[in-house]
Amino acid sequence: MQSQAPTHPPRAADRTVRWPRTPRAPRLRRTLRGFAVLATVAAIAVPTLAPAHDWISPTAVTLLESAAAHRRAPSEGWSGTLWTGVGRGAPAAPSATDCRRPPATFDLPGYEPPRAQRGEPAVAVTGAAPGRATAAATLSRPASPPPASPPSPATRADAEAGAATAAAESRRSGEFADRRHRMRSRAEPLGDSAVAVAPGTRPPPAPHAAPQLAPRPADEPVSAGMVDDNADFGAYLAYRQRWPQLARRDLDPGGRVLLDVRDAAGRAVPDARVQLRAAGRELPLWARTDAGGRAWLMPQRDAAAPAGQPLEVEVTRGSARTRVLWTPGQKDVLQARLAAEAGAETVAAPWPARLDLVFVVDATGSMGDEIDKLKRSMRAVADEIARLPARPDLCFGLVAYRDRGDAFFVRGADLTNDLAAFQRVLENLQAGGGGDYPEAMNEALHTAVHRISWRGEGTARMVVLVADAPPHLDYPGPQYDHDLRAAAARGIKVFGVGASGLDPQGEFVLRQAAQFTGGRFVFLTYAQANRPASGPGRETVHDVQNYSVETLDRLLVRLVSEEMARWPQPAP
């Protein structure tokens, strides 16, 4: 009898899995096969495509490159430069004979042509620093963009470095954001501030939204304080020692002396030219006396003045000339007697007095309120100045500035005695642009000192510099320390006005300018020091003591009045 082999359950390896014969089975098998093909292609293609895995759109590339370029300082000098510094000798003396003309306007380009002239899309990098407005910008690209190469590693590195720098600046300037609230509460129209994004592109991230504060009344007065760092010189030296870490150009006020120039009758001699010499060699130390015949001399501000060596101070006015010897550190006041022409006891000064007044204004977005106030008050200020006892022959000029990449860089109007025409120029000035914190103050000051047609001998010259940010010290063009020396040489006093949001570096620069040229430092004050929204008051965040407060209009008129009151009246 034949035995049968035992039966066992089939092993797992012997089992055959069969797909159910349903209408969906062919479709599912095709899908799985497609996945397998895609996986194979991907495995082959990944090594080739790996370098481009971080590709971004051409518009985003433009944004990255714009941010990196905006952070990089220009490599070439500025085309608007008219005087290259103290190494080139004294600047030309003021020589204009009249300002009875319509205001001649000018527009000076920045370090590179505007984007529209370069054929590039206009781009605004928003939110670079709290409280700064940015100019109108439109991001646009063709409906069918041409193939674009991915950004190079260097471009991406520059963009990342720029972003890191922006973050650091944002942190540093955060404490000043609230003081710039007025710019946000009086924002520019949407068409001048929004960024239009082309279809299919990701919009740029929105800047950090600050709390919306109720706008102040448009006709609310602006309160301001003032300090005279030459009158309280010890306090100024102590202030400088408290801020050694601030980035600035050095202007050493050590060894300062007050030069007082009088004629044979004891009358002040305004606008006399002052030149210093050592061992017969001309030093790059120049000045002109003010309306009261005075000038501040700071010989230790230059290594060319040997320590302890007597200096020769030469004073000239027309054909009258005198020389006095002076050893720095031995006197606080230096007297010089200027002999008049033969047969005369006095050195004649023009009457009525001549006053050239130029406003240099930061016109970036955060300065909207200050510009509006200047527009509203200009007529009243001019009328009050015209009624001063000196009855000055008054001319007005304007220099406005923004920064690289804005709608304009530096523009202005030359001196004119036509107040109505000057006001029309001022009315056309609008705040906008900006982006990073520093602005083109260096170039604007250079323009005011050298391009404005200041009237010649026998004129009082004043600059009112209104700013809420320091200058760009990384630009290769003019630097403010050289142009403050030129201002002293041309007899121009600078009155720095610190607007809301001015940081310690900006305060330091404005106080340098005022102290060096014999001007004053003016600053806005509020009911609460850190809250401009609190309205006018007596408080300030600036490092100042012993100051009085009044409206900005009255303060400007008082400063001009005090200057012109020292102008010598005609001899009886």
Side-chain angles (χ1 to χ4, degrees):
M1 179 175 170
Q2 188 175 11
S3 61
Q4 294 181 343
T7 60
H8 301 281
R11 294 173 298 177
D14 296 334
R15 294 192 186 106
T16 302
V17 179
R18 298 182 180 275
W19 295 101
R21 298 291 181 177
T22 65
R24 293 185 179 182
R27 182 184 305 171
L28 187 58
R29 285 198 297 272
R30 288 195 298 272
T31 301
L32 292 175
R33 284 197 297 270
F35 284 157
V37 171
L38 288 174
T40 303
V41 171
I44 297 173
V46 162
T48 303
L49 298 178
H53 74 282
D54 56 351
W55 182 87
I56 55 179
S57 72
T59 301
V61 172
T62 302
L63 279 171
L64 287 173
E65 292 178 343
S66 173
H70 192 75
R71 295 294 174 188
R72 290 193 296 266
S75 59
E76 298 181 358
W78 185 45
S79 61
T81 301
L82 298 175
W83 183 69
T84 56
V86 296
R88 295 290 185 179
S95 59
T97 58
D98 200 3
C99 64
R100 290 179 173 82
R101 56 179 176 268
T105 59
F106 54 85
D107 202 328
L108 306 178
Y111 288 89
E112 66 281 315
R115 290 182 171 273
Q117 296 182 15
R118 302 202 306 262
E120 301 177 14
V123 177
V125 182
T126 61
R132 300 300 291 181
T134 49
T138 302
L139 302 182
S140 60
R141 64 176 181 179
S144 300
S149 301
S152 66
T155 299
R156 290 195 296 271
D158 285 344
E160 292 170 0
T165 303
E169 289 183 357
S170 179
R171 288 192 298 271
R172 286 195 300 269
S173 58
E175 63 184 281
F176 304 103
D178 182 63
R179 280 179 276 150
R180 292 167 175 247
H181 77 288
R182 293 181 297 162
M183 179 273 296
R184 290 190 291 269
S185 64
R186 295 169 60 97
E188 295 176 329
L190 180 63
D192 193 43
S193 59
V195 176
V197 182
T201 63
R202 183 187 299 274
H208 175 71
Q212 293 297 318
L213 303 175
R216 304 296 306 179
D219 57 349
E220 183 177 64
V222 176
S223 56
M226 181 271 291
V227 292
D228 184 345
D229 284 328
N230 279 309
D232 196 354
F233 192 58
Y236 176 65
L237 294 179
Y239 160 75
R240 288 173 59 93
Q241 293 175 356
R242 289 194 296 271
W243 296 95
Q245 76 281 12
L246 294 177
R248 75 285 190 103
R249 305 283 294 188
D250 189 37
L251 285 169
D252 182 10
R256 181 204 65 158
V257 68
L258 177 62
L259 173 67
D260 185 33
V261 182
R262 302 277 166 172
D263 62 16
R267 294 158 46 87
V269 180
D271 204 30
R273 182 178 181 272
V274 182
Q275 170 68 65
L276 273 69
R277 290 184 171 83
R281 179 170 53 90
E282 183 175 303
L283 300 178
L285 305 171
W286 316 285
R288 278 181 177 263
T289 56
D290 63 12
R294 306 181 308 170
W296 291 104
L297 305 179
M298 284 159 272
Q300 294 184 18
R301 64 195 182 197
D302 197 292
Q309 179 176 341
L311 303 179
E312 180 184 277
V313 181
E314 181 182 79
V315 182
T316 59
R317 169 71 189 281
S319 60
R321 183 184 306 269
T322 190
R323 292 182 177 88
V324 294
L325 290 179
W326 168 56
T327 301
Q330 292 187 355
K331 294 181 179 180
D332 293 329
V333 179
L334 183 65
Q335 298 281 349
R337 187 61 59 94
L338 190 62
E341 297 180 2
E345 290 187 351
T346 63
V347 178
W351 188 267
R354 299 194 300 187
L355 172 62
D356 290 348
L357 181 60
V358 174
F359 293 89
V360 179
V361 182
D362 178 343
T364 52
S366 57
M367 287 290 294
D369 278 358
E370 283 77 5
I371 292 175
D372 289 344
K373 179 61 179 176
L374 188 62
K375 293 176 182 178
R376 293 194 301 269
S377 61
M378 178 54 62
R379 171 66 70 176
V381 170
D383 288 344
E384 289 197 52
I385 293 175
R387 289 195 296 268
L388 293 176
R391 301 286 181 182
D393 174 9
L394 185 59
C395 292
F396 294 96
L398 173 69
V399 176
Y401 65 96
R402 291 185 181 175
D403 203 356
R404 298 169 56 208
D406 290 338
F408 68 84
F409 188 66
V410 175
R411 66 172 43 158
D414 207 347
L415 287 167
T416 178
N417 69 332
D418 188 340
L419 178 59
F422 177 75
Q423 281 197 289
R424 288 193 293 270
V425 172
L426 196 60
E427 284 296 329
N428 291 329
L429 179 63
Q430 302 294 330
D436 61 351
Y437 187 55
E439 310 296 358
M441 182 194 293
N442 280 332
E443 293 76 8
L445 181 61
H446 181 89
T447 300
V449 171
H450 300 284
R451 186 172 294 273
I452 293 295
S453 301
W454 299 97
R455 285 181 289 180
E457 194 169 87
T459 305
R461 308 171 190 89
M462 299 175 62
V463 160
V464 178
L465 172 55
V466 187
D468 68 350
H472 264 288
L473 300 181
D474 56 336
Y475 287 0
Q479 296 294 335
Y480 73 87
D481 59 328
H482 287 267
D483 285 311
L484 289 178
R485 295 191 185 199
R490 308 195 85 195
I492 302 169
K493 285 191 175 184
V494 179
F495 294 77
V497 180
S500 59
L502 184 71
D503 71 354
Q505 182 193 8
E507 176 186 346
F508 198 96
V509 171
L510 290 185
R511 292 180 74 169
Q512 280 183 300
Q515 187 274 330
F516 193 85
T517 61
R520 312 283 192 278
F521 173 57
V522 179
F523 46 92
L524 303 189
T525 57
Y526 304 98
Q528 300 176 30
N530 286 300
R531 298 294 299 272
S534 60
R538 300 184 57 84
E539 304 303 319
T540 181
V541 298
H542 295 299
D543 188 357
V544 292
Q545 295 86 31
N546 303 322
Y547 59 89
S548 60
V549 172
E550 54 190 306
T551 65
L552 182 60
D553 295 355
R554 293 298 310 154
L555 182 55
L556 290 177
V557 172
R558 179 163 69 87
L559 291 174
V560 174
S561 176
E562 290 176 354
E563 182 71 14
M564 302 311 297
R566 295 193 292 266
W567 193 273
Q569 296 187 7

